Amino acid sequence: MRKIGLLVAGVAALGMALGQANVIKIATQSPLSGPQAALGEQIKLGAELAIEEAKAKFKALGFDLVLVPYDDQANPDVGVANANRIINDPDILGVVGHLNSGVAIPSSEVYARVNLVMVSPANTNPRVTDRKLPNVNRICGRDDVQGPVGAEYAFNNLKVKNVFVIHDKTAYGQGLAEEFKKRLEALGGKAVAFVGTEETSNFVPIINQIRGARPVPELIYFGGIYSQIGPFVKQLRERGVKTRVMGGDGLDSSEFVRLAGKENAAGTFYTTVAGPVSAFPKAKAVAQRFKQKYGKDLEGFGIYAYDSANVLLAALEAAIKAAGNKKPTREQVAQAVRQVKMEGLTGTIEFDDKGDNKKAKYFVMQVASTGNWADNKLIRVIEMAAPGAR
Amino acid sequence: MLEQILALLPQVIFDGFILGFVYAMVALGYTMVYGVLELINFAHSEIFMIGAVVGVEVFRYLAPHVGNGFLLLFIALVLGGVVAGITAILVERFAYRPLRARGTTNRLVPLITAIGVSFILQDLVRLVEGLWHNEFFLRMRTVEDLEGSIELFGGAIFAQSKSFILMGVSILMLLGLTYLVNRTKLGVAIRAVAQDLQTASLMGIDPDRIISRTFLIGGSLGGVAGVLFALQYTTITPYVGFLPGIKAFTAAVLGGIGNIPGAMLGGLVLGQLENFFGTYLPILTSGNFGTEYKDVVAFLILIFILLVRPQGLLGQVVREKV
Amino acid sequence: MNALALLLSLAYLGLVFLAPGALSNLFGLLALGATAFLRLSPNGRTLNLALLTLGFTLGLVRSGNTLGLIGLVGILVALTTLPRIPGWIRALLGLAILLLSVPMAGFANTFIFELGIQIGIYAAMALGLNVVVGMAGLLDLGYAAFFAVGAYTWAIFGSEQAKNFMQGSFPLPGEYMYLFMGIAVVTTALTGLFIGLPALRLRGDYLAIVTLGLGEVVRILANNLDHPINFTNGPQGITPVQRPPIDWFRELMGGLGVRLDQATDYQLFFYLLVLLMIGLVVLANVNLANSRFGRAWVAIREDEVAARSMGIPLLPTKLLAFMTGAAFSGVMGVIFAAQRTFVSPESFTLLASITILGMVILGGMGSIPGAILGAAALTILNLDVLKTFSEFVRTSLPQIPSQVDPAKYERLVFGLILVLMMIFRPEGLIPERRHKAEMEEA
């Protein structure tokens, strides 16, 4: 048995030796297929662009930079299985992702086993960072701010008291809707109903509930992803219900307009943690390069993924220098990420001890009537620190 | 609370009929195949989905060229029915017939095959649509002619013209099918094969051909239902068939499997029940049990019916031959 | 022939020593094929298998290439199916593969542990479903429901979740997991009774559709029982779930000269735990198959009417099969929850039920080694082969559109497996003797 121990040690040494090859990989994990692919693809492409642009710089440092995209299918099982593969590629020193908090939470536990750092552009559920894992960071805001921001806008600015709250029965959607409801009721408003649905095509029962709800709701809040809200809004308007609709960052995709129809989507409010290109003057040039390269418009999560990747790259660079121009360990990279202070496209990025961005931005938006997602009206930007862990 | 329920009731019943007719048409496909082969054709829900996809594609490509919305819908219905019917025949030919040819007595074998076929069709459609349009969600194009709406009974019912089209077409299809099965030669042959395959073949009926026709008819009905479903609910994915498929099967069992009027009745009853509970559960339980339990209700009804009246609402008790 | 096969095996051994990786492992699979299908003397075969075991182990340890694992699974299959190999060699080589080769490979690549654990969990469930589908001939399409009940049984009490509806100090300490493996047997068996009592009165295909519906009902309940009282935490899932403390295990392994770190300690522990469970489950399976109940189940599968007229009480016998299968699944659910430290309703969909069914079908209904092989094959296919293929396509052939990404089409692959198996080999890869006879006769 001693021999096995020796053999194992030898193998470990060999693995280290192989790992010393000068390749550094960054993985992305996001849904690239299925219902939420439109958002997931932005994450992959945003990170890809950042990495393409940094290749020359890392070449000069003596490293080949490679992106490995993984498809988590918005499913925790797939995410965890991928994570188990990722941690075994010694060249992967960082992960950009995920889209869904429900996938990020279990997957990040796997990364934590080997101190592999994750920088998330999109996971808004408070528990992502409230677990205080040293390897988990996010540059976007949190649902316990995003929900209240929406509630305050609805109550104070739209002068809405009675809201019909719907959610999609996922960790993300339900969490967001609960935060919204909590703040709304604290302000003195009322959630007329709080309904969850997994339905994807037939929203008629819920629309009937809305029509029959008393007191008459002045706003419908839907915590969910565009793939559900789109058809919902279409059926709602077709049935002549004119009540205003509000959603969260899951709605923030041009696919929403396609599914709901231009005229039905127009005027829909949404809060997001990933602002549009128009909100960030610095993002304009990147958006052009993005469009040139991929033939698609850069949207909110693409910008945040670009920044997330750049946070990782900055940390890598620092860690490489600290390690004396050698390939840093995963732990060193994870520590370096927490030290990063940089000006990204989205503003200053700096992490607190939980891994939340010290000051994250929250946006209230309204869908334009032109059908062009980039034309959406930016109503207000709120910059706020993450609330303390409960 | 009662007031709230009553205010909505006409609308809920109307919407229940829309859903019910969709289920009824899909249920007919299950019931016909079951009647002839005693096989739960799981893949039927994917035949339905393929009809819906064809409907979306016809609207996508022909809407700019065909001015008249009703003509466009007619083309979509015909094409949807034909493509779905042909798919059903192919499935029968390449998946079920080899099993029959081998004379398998184990009833699990065709059932498992059907599940497999169902998975294959889902992903094939997903692959094709992914390569073709790079879309997962297919959206039915809006055509003005079909989008009109009126309010009936002083606003108690809000109805769209496409809902009336859906009901009208399904009633026509159901009547047509009843005529076909009861009055035509093919219908007699189908009933003969359903009753006793061996004896029917002694009477000069080619069972393979009749089974193939049965799949064609059931499949086209499913396809037409798919097109109407897409028109009504507008968003389609490759996996959209699963739940309506299961519900339609439930409807077929509810009405008495193998029994054509039973399938129609079952579909309508199930549509009403589902819509009723989907709308009213949160109100009835003051928010403790929401809309999400409507599928639970549907399955519990299925189990209840099977326990109390295994032959279904209109079915007859069949003594098992030993 | 003997010389040729020996040459191939030796060549592989040399190759894997010089250049471990995917290519040499492919060669090894070829050599394994030669060993299995050429006409060899029993001694030659045994020698070859031993050489190949060495080769695949070496390949895994040196490169972490998972094709080596497929090779090892292949050798295990060869050991169980090939005739005229001495029993002690079968046992020795099999144990060496399970207890030495796989853990050693796991240290080189912890993904091998993950694969091993997942295969083990699914194999135990496939064995459970095998009792229901294979032995008793009852088609259960909602089997993942029991897995869910087991997983939630521990997840609720092994996390702070239970505080929502109970007094007491939660989470319960990790040691309670062992106790809960026992409790899960009871809760899942009761769920089986509860579901089976109405469902099992029905005939074949009705049963299938009802179990499918009830499987969905359990998932919907898990997804919705977060209000009015929060039992399951709904779609958010439950995390973190406690794991048993394993200091004693670390010490034990340290005494054996194996040093464990954060990435490998629990993985090795759960791997060995799962192996132990499979051992127990197989034992239970074999004993059941040869017991009065096992014979009654087969009788019911073959002919219900005849079985009844021979005085077999139908409903209780079927219920027993149903509950036994459920209990196996429940125990594995507890392990699943603890190993992942996370449980959410999305793991227990219809696809999971069908996947387990696919394992049983692929291996051969009623066959114990078949169920294990089916579990290994589909798990490796799903977690590794399709994903590796996808990675390869995405990095090396980026001109291929991402819509054709193989990892997305697991349903297509399962569907094809089910259909092709039913058409061409309904008795499965390693058929059970009685079943094979039945299929051929038909």
Side-chain angles (χ1 to χ4, degrees):
Chain A
M1 279 301 179
R2 204 44 60 78
K3 273 186 192 155
I4 297 171
L6 277 176
L7 198 59
V8 169
V11 168
L14 195 74
M16 299 276 220
L18 288 173
Q20 287 293 347
N22 285 335
V23 177
I24 292 181
K25 292 182 186 163
I26 290 180
T28 63
Q29 269 229 75
S30 57
L32 301 175
S33 58
Q36 302 171 18
L39 294 176
E41 193 181 33
Q42 283 282 331
I43 292 180
K44 181 203 144 194
L45 293 180
E48 190 175 314
L49 186 67
I51 283 164
E52 291 290 325
E53 290 175 3
K55 268 192 173 158
K57 194 169 166 195
F58 277 79
K59 193 86 209 165
L61 289 168
F63 294 97
D64 286 327
L65 206 54
V66 179
L67 174 97
V68 240
Y70 284 83
D71 180 4
D72 67 24
Q73 298 176 15
N75 177 324
D77 285 339
V78 181
V80 167
N82 285 343
N84 271 303
R85 296 175 66 81
I86 288 173
I87 62 170
N88 276 295
D89 186 338
D91 293 334
I92 296 181
L93 295 184
V95 180
V96 175
H98 299 228
L99 173 68
N100 312 75
S101 300
V103 185
I105 292 169
S107 303
S108 56
E109 308 254 347
V110 178
Y111 306 141
R113 272 192 237 146
V114 294
N115 297 310
L116 178 63
V117 69
M118 163 182 134
V119 180
S120 163
N123 297 130
T124 48
N125 191 298
R127 261 201 318 182
V128 172
T129 51
D130 281 356
R131 296 168 301 155
K132 294 188 175 156
L133 290 176
N135 64 322
V136 176
N137 310 277
R138 68 171 140 208
I139 65 168
C140 60
R142 298 158 49 109
D143 285 341
D144 49 1
V145 181
Q146 188 192 174
V149 163
E152 274 170 25
Y153 184 78
F155 190 83
N156 295 331
N157 299 68
L158 299 178
K159 307 286 177 210
V160 159
K161 284 218 168 49
N162 300 310
V163 183
F164 196 99
V165 185
I166 310 172
H167 60 83
D168 66 354
K169 300 250 49 142
T170 69
Y172 158 73
Q174 189 175 19
L176 180 64
E178 272 166 6
E179 297 292 349
F180 176 92
K181 178 176 170 228
K182 220 188 288 169
R183 178 59 63 93
L184 180 78
E185 285 173 345
L187 289 168
K190 181 172 188 287
V192 182
F194 190 76
V195 183
T197 180
E198 290 179 72
E199 184 63 57
T200 50
S201 49
N202 176 11
F203 292 98
V204 169
I206 289 186
I207 293 171
N208 282 340
Q209 282 171 31
I210 293 171
R211 293 178 44 164
R214 298 289 175 275
V216 178
E218 299 143 283
L219 179 79
I220 299 161
Y221 188 84
F222 201 140
I225 306 281
Y226 66 87
S227 57
Q228 237 184 342
I229 313 178
F232 166 74
V233 168
K234 184 165 166 44
Q235 287 174 26
L236 185 74
R237 296 291 182 244
E238 274 181 358
R239 301 190 141 242
V241 181
K242 303 236 159 37
T243 316
R244 288 177 287 191
V245 176
M246 185 185 242
D249 57 322
L251 188 152
D252 188 6
S253 163
S254 52
E255 278 280 285
F256 172 68
V257 175
R258 187 175 75 84
L259 293 176
K262 200 162 72 176
E263 56 292 342
N264 301 325
T268 303
F269 294 96
Y270 63 96
T271 55
T272 180
V273 292
V277 175
S278 61
F280 307 115
K282 281 196 277 180
K284 213 162 263 164
V286 180
Q288 264 167 14
R289 292 203 294 272
F290 188 93
K291 176 103 187 171
Q292 216 169 21
K293 199 153 187 255
Y294 305 115
K296 285 189 180 125
D297 285 320
L298 179 64
E299 291 175 12
F301 286 124
I303 306 174
Y304 274 69
Y306 181 86
D307 266 7
S308 299
N310 274 327
V311 166
L312 265 180
L313 293 171
L316 271 174
E317 210 183 321
I320 290 171
K321 286 198 175 127
N325 275 336
K326 281 213 205 80
K327 193 165 169 180
T329 63
R330 283 169 169 167
E331 202 157 7
Q332 286 165 341
V333 180
Q335 281 163 1
V337 166
R338 286 284 164 94
Q339 310 294 327
V340 165
K341 179 171 185 183
M342 64 172 256
E343 285 297 319
L345 301 179
T346 58
T348 311
I349 299 173
E350 204 183 348
F351 297 108
D352 65 12
D353 57 342
K354 280 189 297 175
D356 276 318
N357 197 347
K358 275 192 180 156
K359 277 209 164 146
K361 291 195 175 83
Y362 301 85
F363 305 82
V364 182
M365 309 276 301
Q366 190 174 20
V367 178
S369 55
T370 55
N372 187 352
W373 201 247
D375 293 345
N376 287 355
K377 197 167 120 201
L378 177 60
I379 297 177
R380 62 165 49 174
V381 186
I382 297 156
E383 196 162 354
M384 211 188 270
R390 279 159 296 169
Chain B
M1 190 171 83
L2 191 65
E3 193 185 336
Q4 208 178 348
I5 290 177
L6 286 179
L8 283 176
L9 199 57
Q11 180 74 53
V12 171
I13 292 175
F14 182 80
D15 290 330
F17 272 117
I18 301 177
L19 197 60
F21 276 113
V22 172
Y23 287 163
M25 276 194 285
V26 183
L28 283 171
Y30 280 107
T31 229
M32 286 183 68
V33 169
Y34 194 91
V36 171
L37 285 182
E38 297 217 334
L39 157 73
I40 301 177
N41 181 17
F42 259 97
H44 191 61
S45 54
E46 273 52 58
I47 304 290
F48 163 79
M49 176 270 291
I50 286 174
V53 170
V54 171
V56 170
E57 294 300 339
V58 168
F59 270 58
R60 187 204 302 265
Y61 283 103
L62 293 186
H65 308 294
V66 181
N68 187 326
F70 296 97
L71 178 62
L72 184 66
L73 180 62
F74 181 73
I75 300 173
L77 287 174
V78 170
L79 274 179
V82 168
V83 174
I86 292 175
T87 317
I89 291 185
L90 291 177
V91 167
E92 194 276 326
R93 177 69 193 78
F94 291 106
Y96 303 146
R97 199 176 291 179
L99 303 180
R100 267 207 319 281
R102 209 180 48 218
T104 314
T105 48
N106 189 333
R107 291 175 59 142
L108 300 187
V109 170
L111 192 57
I112 292 164
T113 312
I115 296 171
V117 170
S118 162
F119 275 21
I120 294 174
L121 289 178
Q122 286 175 356
D123 265 4
L124 275 185
V125 170
R126 178 172 167 186
L127 183 66
V128 169
E129 284 296 336
L131 288 176
W132 194 1
H133 301 294
N134 192 12
E135 281 174 10
F136 180 80
F137 286 96
L138 304 172
R139 180 180 162 246
M140 192 77 168
R141 219 183 150 101
T142 313
V143 175
E144 281 309 315
D145 294 2
L146 307 172
E147 291 297 316
S149 58
I150 46 163
E151 296 198 352
L152 302 172
F153 307 113
I157 294 180
F158 178 89
Q160 294 164 284
S161 42
K162 59 188 184 190
S163 310
F164 290 115
I165 297 174
L166 185 146
M167 295 190 204
V169 173
S170 28
I171 292 174
L172 279 180
M173 301 290 292
L174 302 184
L175 289 178
L177 181 75
T178 316
Y179 175 79
L180 187 139
V181 172
N182 289 330
R183 297 289 157 84
T184 64
K185 231 174 158 180
L186 177 62
V188 175
I190 290 177
R191 279 182 292 147
V193 173
Q195 202 128 69
D196 190 334
L197 196 140
Q198 244 125 37
T199 316
S201 67
L202 291 177
M203 301 293 164
I205 296 171
D206 176 1
D208 276 347
R209 236 187 61 187
I210 297 302
I211 289 169
S212 199
R213 294 281 159 85
T214 311
F215 271 84
L216 175 72
I217 296 167
S220 342
L221 277 174
V224 168
V227 176
L228 294 169
F229 182 85
L231 182 73
Q232 184 68 32
Y233 299 116
T234 68
T235 307
I236 297 299
T237 72
Y239 304 131
V240 82
F242 173 66
L243 268 182
I246 297 296
K247 307 264 183 63
F249 179 77
T250 307
V253 174
L254 189 63
I257 192 138
N259 181 314
I260 288 177
M264 299 179 200
L265 180 68
L268 291 176
V269 169
L270 194 72
Q272 289 295 355
L273 284 174
E274 184 184 328
N275 209 42
F276 183 88
F277 284 108
T279 312
Y280 289 133
L281 262 181
I283 304 175
L284 291 172
T285 61
S286 52
N288 284 333
F289 295 97
T291 307
E292 55 267 51
Y293 285 98
K294 69 178 199 290
D295 294 344
V296 175
V297 173
F299 288 127
L300 292 183
I301 289 171
L302 172 72
I303 292 164
F304 182 72
I305 290 288
L306 285 175
L307 287 180
V308 207
R309 201 178 151 81
Q311 71 273 31
L313 296 177
L314 298 186
Q316 284 139 10
V317 187
V318 185
R319 287 256 162 253
E320 211 173 318
K321 290 163 276 188
V322 182
Chain C
M1 283 295 176
N2 276 326
L4 176 67
L6 191 64
L7 203 67
L8 277 176
S9 301
L10 282 173
Y12 167 61
L13 205 55
L15 204 60
V16 85
F17 193 74
L18 294 172
L23 280 179
S24 58
N25 278 337
L26 276 177
F27 187 81
L29 292 180
L30 183 81
L32 179 61
T35 308
F37 293 111
L38 291 180
R39 281 161 177 271
L40 301 183
S41 67
N43 284 340
R45 215 167 236 168
T46 314
L47 180 63
N48 268 336
L49 286 179
L51 282 177
L52 287 172
T53 308
L54 202 62
F56 283 122
T57 310
L58 198 66
L60 273 170
V61 169
R62 294 198 47 188
S63 73
N65 184 292
T66 46
L67 275 180
L69 192 69
I70 299 180
L72 288 181
V73 172
I75 293 179
L76 286 177
V77 173
L79 286 174
T80 41
T81 54
L82 289 179
R84 288 191 300 158
I85 297 176
W88 64 275
I89 293 218
R90 288 182 208 256
L92 199 68
L93 263 186
L95 284 179
I97 288 176
L98 291 175
L99 295 180
L100 291 179
S101 303
V102 176
M104 275 160 67
F107 284 111
N109 179 351
T110 52
F111 184 60
I112 304 269
F113 275 139
E114 181 67 21
L115 264 180
I117 295 169
Q118 295 298 330
I119 291 174
I121 291 178
Y122 277 105
M125 285 201 285
L127 285 169
L129 186 61
N130 192 32
V131 172
V132 184
V133 178
M135 292 190 196
L138 307 164
L139 188 53
D140 180 358
L141 294 183
Y143 191 63
F146 303 120
F147 189 40
V149 171
Y152 272 99
T153 303
W154 172 233
I156 288 173
F157 293 98
S159 71
E160 295 188 350
Q161 192 58 30
K163 278 186 185 164
N164 291 317
F165 56 91
M166 256 176 103
Q167 296 280 319
S169 71
F170 294 103
L172 294 174
E175 292 94 335
Y176 277 79
M177 189 194 87
Y178 306 113
L179 174 65
F180 268 77
M181 284 160 68
I183 294 180
V185 169
V186 179
T187 53
T188 43
L190 282 179
T191 317
L193 182 72
F194 202 65
I195 291 183
L197 215 47
L200 290 172
R201 291 168 197 273
L202 307 168
R203 281 207 6 242
D205 8 332
Y206 281 149
L207 175 67
I209 207 97
V210 165
T211 47
L212 186 153
L214 286 169
E216 274 292 288
V217 167
V218 167
R219 191 189 65 81
I220 294 174
L221 286 181
N223 213 12
N224 288 299
L225 277 182
D226 51 346
H227 68 103
I229 301 170
N230 188 353
F231 287 109
T232 63
N233 210 22
Q236 311 253 2
I238 300 176
T239 182
V241 180
Q242 293 293 312
R243 305 194 273 197
I246 55 166
D247 291 329
W248 61 271
F249 182 72
R250 281 198 204 93
E251 267 169 37
L252 181 73
M253 284 294 139
L256 292 173
V258 182
R259 285 192 41 220
L260 297 170
D261 61 23
Q262 224 189 335
T264 51
D265 53 359
Y266 271 104
Q267 295 289 71
L268 180 63
F269 171 73
F270 277 111
Y271 172 74
L272 294 176
L273 180 65
V274 164
L275 269 191
L276 181 72
M277 290 317 297
I278 293 195
L280 292 176
V281 168
V282 169
L283 213 63
N285 243 314
V286 172
N287 277 319
L288 278 174
N290 296 328
S291 72
R292 192 159 61 89
F293 300 115
R295 287 192 300 273
W297 289 333
V298 174
I300 289 180
R301 179 185 81 196
E302 301 299 315
D303 191 335
E304 234 181 85
V305 181
R308 190 168 49 188
S309 50
M310 298 312 276
I312 296 174
L314 282 190
L315 189 64
T317 316
K318 285 182 178 177
L319 261 180
L320 189 70
F322 214 64
M323 288 163 68
T324 314
F328 287 158
S329 183
V331 179
M332 296 328 275
V334 172
I335 296 180
F336 177 79
Q339 190 250 343
R340 287 259 304 258
T341 70
F342 175 77
V343 173
S344 83
E346 281 147 312
S347 307
F348 311 108
T349 53
L350 175 74
L351 186 62
S353 297
I354 303 282
T355 308
I356 304 169
L357 179 68
M359 292 166 180
V360 176
I361 306 278
L362 183 65
M365 281 187 264
S367 149
I368 291 170
I372 298 176
L373 171 67
L378 284 193
T379 310
I380 291 180
L381 185 76
N382 202 5
L383 289 181
D384 188 44
V385 176
L386 289 179
K387 292 231 157 67
T388 311
F389 203 47
S390 284
E391 273 166 41
F392 171 74
V393 168
R394 246 177 275 138
T395 46
S396 311
L397 303 164
Q399 61 273 30
I400 290 185
S402 69
Q403 286 79 20
V404 207
D405 200 344
K408 289 175 201 170
Y409 294 101
E410 52 180 52
R411 279 166 186 257
L412 184 68
V413 176
F414 287 163
L416 279 174
I417 289 177
L418 291 181
V419 172
L420 294 178
M421 287 303 288
M422 283 300 115
I423 294 180
F424 296 108
R425 205 179 155 90
E427 73 274 18
L429 293 178
I430 310 181
E432 184 213 16
R433 228 172 302 135
R434 199 157 15 193
H435 220 90
K436 188 179 175 186
E438 180 199 349
M439 290 288 181
E440 273 167 5
E441 180 189 329

